[in-house]
Amino acid sequence: MEILLLKPYAAKTQELELCQQIARPDTRITFANIADAYPIKHVHHNYFRSRAVVEAVEKILKAEEDGYDGVCIACGADPALFEARELVKIPVTSTFEAAGHVACMMGHKFSVITTIDYAVPQMQNLALLYGFGHKLASIRHLDIPGRNLRKEVTSEQTIIDRVNEVARHCVEHDGAEVVVITATLASVLFSTKEGGPITDVGAPVVNAMQVGLKMVELMVDLQKLGGLAPVSRIGIYKEPYEPEYRELREFYKLPLRRGMKKKRPEASRSTGKK
């Protein structure tokens, strides 16, 4: 199974190794970002997000053309998820959507920990869109911008301490039974800490990045082995009218890509877990 792990902004990956640890033995993961077309290391602002979505969709279209079996978007804000699903036939998953549905199975209420205060409204809107808003105990933030969730900027212990502090408030004041960390870089550090992914108040931590990866593996299996389409084409993911799609791509001088799937050359593959 060939999976593309796509960072929909310019940051480097800190999630790849952790994803490889839980991937199936036959899953090979390749990392990519959109740094060649989008220079910012986050998508916190609506304008930034809109610019990143266009470029991320191009990467996902290219991934399908190159023969990938599925794509996982490595960002808690899930940019380009709906747009990509509308266009490609391979499964596309992301972090918050996948982790939220899993958290619903783990407890009565769950809280979300994101990066910064102005990311909270976006997460609240997504929770309502995904249908699990009523299961949310709260959405709280680390007060650390995504650009600073790097070891060379913020120490691992600082991030772990901050997650524990926020998680305690989620449990003791908000009524959460499960904590979802959608700040993917923070979740990497917390998941690899001594003692494993559980807060000091006892709440299990759902690493949204890992759940997104496992979900795309599941969707690939269901498509290949069970014949289940990744999405319905009746409503929200209905494919664009083909002549208009072609007109739009030609207007922007972009390759059509859809329906042009080719075999990936062996030399271009990045080996994940063997």
Side-chain angles (χ1 to χ4, degrees):
M1 186 183 300
E2 301 279 352
I3 301 297
L4 179 68
L5 184 66
L6 178 64
K7 181 72 73 177
Y9 43 89
K12 297 178 181 178
T13 180
Q14 297 183 48
E15 301 95 338
L16 182 57
E17 183 178 353
L18 196 65
C19 286
Q20 288 172 338
Q21 290 174 4
I22 67 162
R24 292 177 7 172
D26 64 337
T27 296
R28 291 196 287 186
I29 307 169
T30 302
F31 172 81
N33 63 21
I34 61 170
D36 56 342
Y38 176 85
I40 310 301
K41 294 181 173 62
H42 64 83
V43 290
H44 292 326
H45 303 287
N46 291 321
Y47 174 61
F48 287 10
R49 179 188 176 98
S50 67
R51 297 297 303 177
V53 164
V54 171
E55 304 303 333
V57 168
E58 291 303 312
K59 293 286 187 183
I60 295 170
L61 282 166
K62 183 67 162 56
E64 181 179 52
E65 180 186 23
D66 288 347
Y68 283 93
D69 298 298
V71 177
C72 178
I73 299 170
C75 176
D78 294 358
L81 180 62
F82 279 30
E83 293 84 353
R85 284 177 173 169
E86 189 177 75
L87 297 177
V88 299
K89 293 179 173 59
I90 59 175
V92 180
T93 64
S94 193
T95 53
F96 184 33
E97 183 195 48
H101 286 299
V102 168
C104 286
M105 297 188 290
M106 296 175 63
H108 178 60
K109 292 277 188 177
F110 70 95
S111 284
V112 173
I113 298 179
T114 185
T115 51
I116 197 74
D117 56 352
Y118 46 85
V120 172
Q122 186 179 74
M123 306 302 291
Q124 290 173 330
N125 287 338
L126 285 175
L128 293 172
L129 183 64
Y130 294 153
F132 47 64
H134 65 292
K135 299 285 286 186
L136 274 177
S138 60
I139 301 178
R140 297 192 174 272
H141 63 91
L142 299 171
D143 199 24
I144 305 174
R147 71 180 77 90
N148 293 339
L149 286 174
R150 294 177 289 125
K151 298 176 184 179
E152 59 268 28
V153 178
T154 306
S155 72
E156 294 184 37
Q157 193 58 51
T158 297
I159 293 173
I160 290 171
D161 290 345
R162 182 61 181 148
V163 169
N164 275 314
E165 179 185 355
V166 176
R168 178 172 291 278
H169 203 99
C170 292
V171 172
E172 295 182 347
H173 296 274
D174 303 334
E177 299 174 12
V178 180
V179 173
V180 173
I181 304 183
T182 58
T184 59
L185 301 180
S187 67
V188 168
L189 297 177
F190 200 84
S191 294
T192 56
K193 73 177 180 66
E194 184 177 356
I198 189 165
T199 66
D200 62 8
V201 76
V205 172
V206 177
N207 182 321
M209 184 69 263
Q210 287 186 321
V211 175
L213 174 72
K214 297 306 290 186
M215 191 65 72
V216 78
E217 285 184 326
L218 171 64
M219 294 304 295
V220 170
D221 278 343
L222 289 173
Q223 182 181 39
K224 289 189 171 184
L225 304 177
L228 182 66
V231 296
S232 169
R233 294 299 183 191
I234 293 175
I236 193 168
Y237 298 126
K238 185 175 178 62
E239 294 177 294
Y241 181 51
E242 187 64 22
E244 291 177 340
Y245 173 82
R246 288 176 173 269
E247 181 181 1
L248 190 67
R249 301 292 290 184
E250 290 168 359
F251 180 85
Y252 287 109
K253 297 180 173 56
L254 296 169
L256 291 176
R257 298 216 186 278
R258 296 174 72 210
M260 300 173 63
K261 188 172 181 179
K262 61 186 180 183
K263 183 177 176 60
R264 295 178 62 212
E266 193 70 29
S268 72
R269 295 178 178 173
S270 297
T271 302
K273 185 177 178 180
K274 295 182 178 179

